[in-house]
Amino acid sequence: MRAVDIIARKRDGLELTSAEIEFFVRGFTEGRIADYQASAWCMAVLLRGMTAREATDLTLTMAYSGHVLDLSSVAAVVADKHSTGGVGDKTTLVVAPLVACLGVPVGKMSGRGLSFTGGTIDKLESIPGYRATLTEAQFKRQLAGHGIVVAGQSAELAPADGQLYALRDVTATVESLPLIASSIMSKKIAAGANVIVLDVKVGSGAFLKTATEAEQLAELMIAIGRSVDRRVAAVIADMSQPLGRAVGNALEVREAIEVLQGGGPADLRDHCLTLASLILVLAGTHPTQAASRADLERALDDGRAWRKFVEWITAQGGVPSVVEQPARLPTARLVEDLPSPRDGFIEQVDAQQVGMATVLLGAGREKKGDAVDHAVGVVLHKKVGDPVAAGEPLLTVHANDSDRLAAARAALLDVFHWSETPPPRPAHLHRIIGAPDADR
Amino acid sequence: MRAVDIIARKRDGLELTSAEIEFFVRGFTEGRIADYQASAWCMAVLLRGMTAREATDLTLTMAYSGHVLDLSSVAAVVADKHSTGGVGDKTTLVVAPLVACLGVPVGKMSGRGLSFTGGTIDKLESIPGYRATLTEAQFKRQLAGHGIVVAGQSAELAPADGQLYALRDVTATVESLPLIASSIMSKKIAAGANVIVLDVKVGSGAFLKTATEAEQLAELMIAIGRSVDRRVAAVIADMSQPLGRAVGNALEVREAIEVLQGGGPADLRDHCLTLASLILVLAGTHPTQAASRADLERALDDGRAWRKFVEWITAQGGVPSVVEQPARLPTARLVEDLPSPRDGFIEQVDAQQVGMATVLLGAGREKKGDAVDHAVGVVLHKKVGDPVAAGEPLLTVHANDSDRLAAARAALLDVFHWSETPPPRPAHLHRIIGAPDADR
């Protein structure tokens, strides 16, 4: 078998065998196949596509390129959720304790933010003391003792994916559905959970811009997961405007806490309930989403979800006084409203542009390894469909540096689009795919 | 400008600007753009294509990546011919002195053979003493003094093409028409001739397998050449069976000499006359191919072409006694006929398979840098359309090693296909593209 022949076969649109995919990916990971061959192969995959069978083989080869966690000794069912990345997406902070407080263990490894989307670990680290770096033993102990753990992704998790992703990032081969699906699912499979809900974002604030792409990606990831006996379902969710109102690490933690205490923005609460109810149905605790949703709403409203959050965060090292009093989370020195320049209705809130503005404030990373300012960000006061009068605040900027504030202010002026008449409010949820109760 | 954005634009099927192409190719050649980015870009070009304008920009960037020969001080018109590579293609050995003896200077840089096709320089080096490695001054002196020079391609000629080709070779990105066209034309433009006839081969013994591809390649190369004021035309020629009868370096030199002395196989003589007459029309010495052909036939038949050959080869160092007495060229120790196993008509002579068999004999290279045995090869006695009786020799094998002879014999058994009834003889010439007299 020769690398160049495998590249040629994919170039010509042929389906690769399992042996060819394994030969190629292992060869690349172990240094026998050059990076210039792997990048040409990635471009051929991007332009020629892959069957679900090929994508599954690629996923498993990458998952088993490193250590695969076995959590069966800790719990028979362990749930995970994964978002393809959006602006203002703090759902893990709500969904994990919400599910766990109803008795379904959640064990999750999460990434850090890159470009205009934030990362769950960055958000959690805005809580002083939170330990995101856990050994495997610590991960399992936290999961066994509290039924909930969220840690940073270890380097040994699917290392082939890490190597291939680094190459894709600089060769314009990121935007391939089978490569995205394999990258996500290889890490999910290696991380050990057997119930997985995928939150696939679509719209200007997400990597995927069309619903068709998002559905294809979701279906491919479900097929891959099921081929190795994971219970998987997916939600296709709108990311044309940010989820909730807060964008920025500590600001998002505060908003998540509002939801956990029974309040918070309606779209965020609703989305968290959708994800959590899917997890419970997949885990087998409830027969339908409707039944689980009723229980989940009660858990938000009666404080159980909130208490589970406090238990989780403090067990992972978070300073209890800060967790219990969110006002003590990091706050920014400069707080400034952005007034509306006109009357009208908000027709569009460009999520990607909001995300870019918060990167300018220091809330996110332009490149890997950049430091993150946990305090800064943006809180939106107006979302699509809202009426607004000239001079009324559109959003509040939280900054720690006047130069960065000026740069963000300029970027934020492009975020809003107006109309004279009330535009339709966008549906937050597009579709649910693979729910067991819908399949019946 | 960033390399990854240029890759993404080509990936998305967009037309690159001249500045983008120059940035990318120069960046790669000068080491600022990584080979893994260049290979992903080549795959995107292969699968998305290039406009003629893009291919022209790529060609010129590669041509001017090194020294570009200026031959205007030597002659107002200098002719070159280029074959895309075939089996038994010894036309340069005939066409160059044939054209030169009618007063049109020929200045050519030529490659060495690779895989199943032979290289002109290898053939010339079967003549003891022939100097293929010339400095620029020597090249110009030989051209000025004798109106004919054929040298090996210097490393400074379009070095970007050499670097990019080495990468394409191992990343399955060779078979792209714009990349092939740019590779050929960058070297032709750098080598300084202003009249260029392209001999584009199509069929089993050529890289291009269909006439459509061959015509597209020819038209693209003509467009590129004309954009920088080269006078270019192309011949689309059949390479489903070898050209002439001899395949192997010294054996081909002998056959070329037969044509130069007024004899030789009809297909080879005819093809050389076609190429030479196109050159004369492009050079402006004759108004039509018909008029030039009459003069060229006379030059073959009255010995002028042969005398020019002797002058050329001896001026470039070839031992005169060998040139004048071709029997003294290298000869193989083992000479063996391959008898026909059956009666019938020859329906097919697989040119690629003949080429592969001569590589097994040692006449060609499996990889760059391999040594070549000038004496060995094959002489065909039967070609497509010929009747044959069982036991009659199909071909004669010339070998220097009994193991290699056995290996070649096994490969040669697959070369011939028979039919019961006389099959049509394949047309040697498919089409002429860009002839000035046809355009009128």
Side-chain angles (χ1 to χ4, degrees), chain B residues 131-213:
Chain B
R131 276 193 308 270
T133 307
L134 300 183
T135 64
E136 183 176 333
Q138 289 171 325
F139 186 92
K140 286 182 172 173
R141 200 152 51 231
Q142 164 88 15
L143 181 62
H146 302 276
I148 179 167
V149 58
V150 179
Q153 210 166 275
S154 89
E156 303 101 71
L157 201 73
D161 171 66
Q163 270 180 265
L164 201 62
Y165 190 86
L167 187 64
R168 286 167 56 207
D169 194 35
V170 292
T171 55
T173 50
V174 168
E175 295 88 341
S176 154
L177 293 187
L179 293 181
I180 294 171
S182 306
S183 175
I184 292 172
M185 292 306 291
S186 65
K187 288 175 288 196
K188 293 291 110 183
I189 289 168
N194 51 6
V195 163
I196 301 165
V197 166
L198 302 164
D199 188 5
V200 182
K201 307 293 194 185
V202 58
S204 75
F207 289 111
L208 300 170
K209 307 299 181 197
T210 73
T212 309
E213 279 181 309

Side-chain angles (χ1 to χ4, degrees), chain B residues 371-390:
Chain B
V372 157
D373 184 339
H374 292 108
V376 301
V378 160
V379 177
L380 299 166
H381 303 304
K382 300 292 174 188
K383 294 187 67 176
V384 175
D386 289 346
V388 64

Side-chain angles (χ1 to χ4, degrees), chain A residues 171-407:
Chain A
T171 55
T173 50
V174 168
E175 294 88 342
S176 153
L177 293 187
L179 294 181
I180 294 170
S182 305
S183 174
I184 292 172
M185 292 306 291
S186 66
K187 286 175 290 195
K188 293 290 111 181
I189 289 168
N194 51 5
V195 162
I196 300 165
V197 166
L198 302 163
D199 188 6
V200 181
K201 307 292 196 186
V202 59
S204 75
F207 289 112
L208 299 170
K209 306 299 181 197
T210 73
T212 309
E213 279 181 310
E215 287 172 17
Q216 286 172 345
L217 179 65
E219 277 166 9
L220 184 51
M221 292 194 290
I222 290 170
I224 291 170
R226 289 184 179 171
S227 76
V228 285
D229 295 327
R230 264 58 171 182
R231 305 178 217 167
V232 192
V235 166
I236 312 292
D238 181 65
M239 188 45 71
S240 64
Q241 61 179 343
L243 184 64
R245 298 187 173 280
V247 183
N249 301 294
L251 295 168
E252 292 190 47
V253 173
R254 280 196 187 88
E255 191 171 71
I257 289 174
E258 287 170 32
V259 175
L260 286 162
Q261 294 179 334
D267 64 340
L268 176 59
R269 175 179 161 110
D270 181 68
H271 190 58
C272 292
L273 286 166
T274 301
L275 295 171
S277 69
L278 259 181
I279 291 174
L280 295 190
V281 174
L282 288 171
T285 64
H286 291 70
T288 64
Q289 293 172 69
S292 65
R293 194 172 179 106
D295 278 356
L296 290 161
E297 290 190 336
R298 267 192 300 277
L300 286 177
D301 295 336
D302 67 13
R304 275 176 293 157
W306 164 241
R307 285 194 297 276
K308 194 72 196 177
F309 176 82
V310 174
E311 176 192 343
W312 156 38
I313 300 293
T314 50
Q316 264 190 258
V319 175
S321 62
V322 177
V323 183
E324 282 162 23
Q325 299 165 59
R328 299 176 65 176
L329 283 164
T331 50
R333 288 191 300 110
L334 309 168
V335 178
E336 181 185 287
D337 285 344
L338 184 78
S340 178
R342 52 166 286 184
D343 292 339
F345 292 88
I346 305 297
E347 191 180 33
Q348 200 185 316
V349 182
D350 184 332
Q352 181 166 342
Q353 189 68 14
V354 174
M356 292 298 192
T358 59
V359 172
L360 293 176
L361 289 169
R365 290 182 185 81
E366 289 176 48
K367 58 180 200 298
K368 262 187 197 170
D370 283 355
V372 158
D373 185 339
H374 292 108
V376 301
V378 160
V379 177
L380 298 166
H381 305 304
K382 300 291 174 190
K383 292 187 67 176
V384 174
D386 290 344
V388 65
E392 219 186 328
L394 293 166
L395 54 79
T396 303
V397 188
H398 298 250
N400 270 328
D401 176 306
S402 56
D403 288 347
R404 283 174 173 271
L405 174 59

